Amino acid sequence: MITLEGINRIFQVGDQQVHALDDISLTIQPGEYLSLMGPSGSGKSTLLNILGLLDKPTSGRYLLEGREVTSLSDDEQASVRGEKIGFVFQFFHLVPRMSAFENVELPLVLAGMAPSVRRERVHVILEQLGLMDRAHHRPDQLSGGQRQRIAIARATIMKPSLLLADEPTGNLDSRSGTDVVEVLEQLNAGGITLVVVTHDGQVGKRAGRRLRMVDGAIVKDERG
Amino acid sequence: MITLEGINRIFQVGDQQVHALDDISLTIQPGEYLSLMGPSGSGKSTLLNILGLLDKPTSGRYLLEGREVTSLSDDEQASVRGEKIGFVFQFFHLVPRMSAFENVELPLVLAGMAPSVRRERVHVILEQLGLMDRAHHRPDQLSGGQRQRIAIARATIMKPSLLLADEPTGNLDSRSGTDVVEVLEQLNAGGITLVVVTHDGQVGKRAGRRLRMVDGAIVKDERG
Ligand SMILES: Nc1ncnc2c1ncn2[C@@H]1O[C@H](COP(=O)(O)OP(=O)(O)OP(=O)(O)O)[C@@H](O)[C@H]1O
Ligand SMILES: Nc1ncnc2c1ncn2[C@@H]1O[C@H](COP(=O)(O)OP(=O)(O)OP(=O)(O)O)[C@@H](O)[C@H]1O
Ligand SMILES: [Mg+2]
Ligand SMILES: [Mg+2]
C-alpha cells in the first residue's frame, strides 16, 4: 500500500540545516496497524506529513497504492489526499468559525453527500466520542481534549483508506483516550491502514507493528 | 496565598448554559505543589484561567496574597499577572514571528532587564530543556514537544511567585516530560507556588497535594 524509498527531508533555517528525516525506507501493507514512537523532535510528525502528502521529501520516492506520488503537482496531491487520507493533526487545525458539528461534517459536504445522510453520520461519531452536547460549540468554546476528539471525528468520518493520527490522545484523560483508540481500531478492523504517532506507551503497544524513531531514522521495527 | 470562595463560571453558548465551575472553594498556601487531574471537559483549564487572572468568575471571590482580585479592572489584572504569575498554556500561545529565543526572552524584555543579563538567563533555561540548537527557529519550525518546552521556558524565566502549568507534558516523550517536571519542581523547591494540570498519573502523583475535578467540582483533595 505504501512504499518509502530513501526518503530524506531537510529543513533550511537561516544558514543551518535540519536533517529531519534521514534515509527512511519503509513498506506498509494494506490494513496494517502501526504505532510510531520516539523522542520529541525525532521526526515523527515530519514522516507523517510526508505520508499524508502534506509535505514533499527533499529526496527519495513515495509510492502510494503503486502510484509514485512524490512528483505530483500540488493540485494532484490535494486530490489524492482528499480521496484517500484522513489526518488527525497534532494541533487539530479546526476551522475556528464553524461549530464542532460543522467541522466534523465538512469532509462529507466536500464529498457532495446529502444533508440528511451527513447529519446521521456526524451524530454517530459524535455519540461514540461523547461530544453530542458540544455539537454547537465553536473550537474556542471547547476544552483541549474536546477539540482533539473533534479533530479525530473529522479525520475518520470519510472512512479513508489511510488514517494518520499524530498524538491523538495527548490531551485526553485515560478514559477518553481509550475511547479514541477504540474508534481508530474499529476502523482498522474494517480494513483501514492505520498509523498512530504517540508518546503513550500504553497506546503504542496496542499496534500490530511498532516503530521507533530517533534523530530522523527508524531504529526499531517490530511485530507481534 | 490563594483563596477561592464559592467560585462559579458559567459560559453561554447560544441558548445553552455550560456550568464549567460549580461552587469551587479552595485555599492554597505559599510554596505548595498541587496537581489537578480529571476527565476531559471537567473544568481544569477554566479553573487555571481564573487563578491566572485570564478569566473572571461569574460569581464568587478570589483573593491572591490577601488582595481581592476578582473586582480589578482589566489593566490592574494584567499588571498583577505580569508581576506574579507564570502560565504554561495547554496550547502554548507562542508569538509566531519571533524565534524560540525571543519568545523566551520576551518577559525579561518587558521587565526592562539588560540584554546581556537576559541572554544569560535564556541560555540557562534553554540548556536545561535541551533546546539550545533550536533557539533561532520560529514556532512553526519546531516540533510539538519543542514548542511545549519553549512555552514552559517562557512561563518560568521570570521566576513568578505563582506558576500555573496546563498539561505541560502532553506532547512530550517520557524523558523530555521528566526534564520538564524537574524544572518545575526545582522552582517549587525555591519557593514558587506550583499548580500542574495533567492527564498523566505519573506526573500527578509527584505533587504534594493532589486534586481531582469532575463536572466543574473538586471531588478529591489529598495530601501526603
Ligand atoms: N518547518 C521546519 N523548519 C525547520 N525545522 C523543522 C521544521 N519542522 C520541524 N523541524 C525540525 O525537525 C525535527 C523533527 O520535527 P518533528 O515535528 O517531525 O518532530 P516530532 O518527532 O514530531 O516531535 P514531537 O514529539 O515533539 O512532536 C525537529 O528537530 C524540528 O525542530
Ligand atoms: N469559552 C467557552 N464557551 C463555552 N463553553 C466553554 C468555553 N470554554 C470551555 N467551555 C466548556 O467548559 C467545560 C470545561 O472546559 P475546560 O477547558 O476547563 O476543560 P478541561 O478540564 O481543561 O478539559 P481538557 O482536559 O479536555 O483540556 C467544557 O465542557 C467546555 O466545553
Ligand atoms: Mg510531532
Ligand atoms: Mg484543558
Side-chain angles (χ1 to χ4, degrees), chain A residues 2 4 6 29 31 36 53-54 73 85 105 116 121 150 152 166 178 187 190 196 207 209 216 218:
Chain A
I2 284 176
L4 298 179
Q29 301 302 330
L36 172 56
L53 297 178
L54 293 162
S73 72
I85 302 173
E105 190 188 29
S116 53
R121 280 179 73 159
I150 292 299
I152 288 153
D166 199 345
T178 307
L187 292 166
V196 178
R209 181 179 172 194
I218 294 173

Side-chain angles (χ1 to χ4, degrees), chain A residues 40 90 145 149 171 173 199, chain B residues 40 90-91 145 149 171 173 199:
Chain A
S40 174
Q90 191 166 359
R149 283 175 279 158
N171 282 283
D173 57 283
H199 282 306
Chain B
S40 174
Q90 189 166 1
F91 299 109
R149 282 174 280 159
N171 282 284
D173 57 284
H199 280 308

Side-chain angles (χ1 to χ4, degrees), chain B residues 99-125:
Chain B
S99 70
F101 188 99
E102 291 164 338
N103 264 283
V104 176
E105 191 189 27
L106 188 55
L108 306 183
V109 174
L110 296 173
M113 195 175 283
S116 54
V117 187
R118 293 194 314 245
R119 216 179 327 280
E120 173 59 25
R121 279 179 74 159
V122 174
H123 279 167
V124 167
I125 188 81

Side-chain angles (χ1 to χ4, degrees), chain A residues 21-38:
Chain A
L21 295 179
D22 190 0
D23 204 42
I24 295 216
S25 294
L26 177 64
T27 305
I28 301 175
Q29 301 302 330
E32 268 199 288
Y33 173 10
L34 286 81
S35 65
L36 172 56
M37 299 189 67

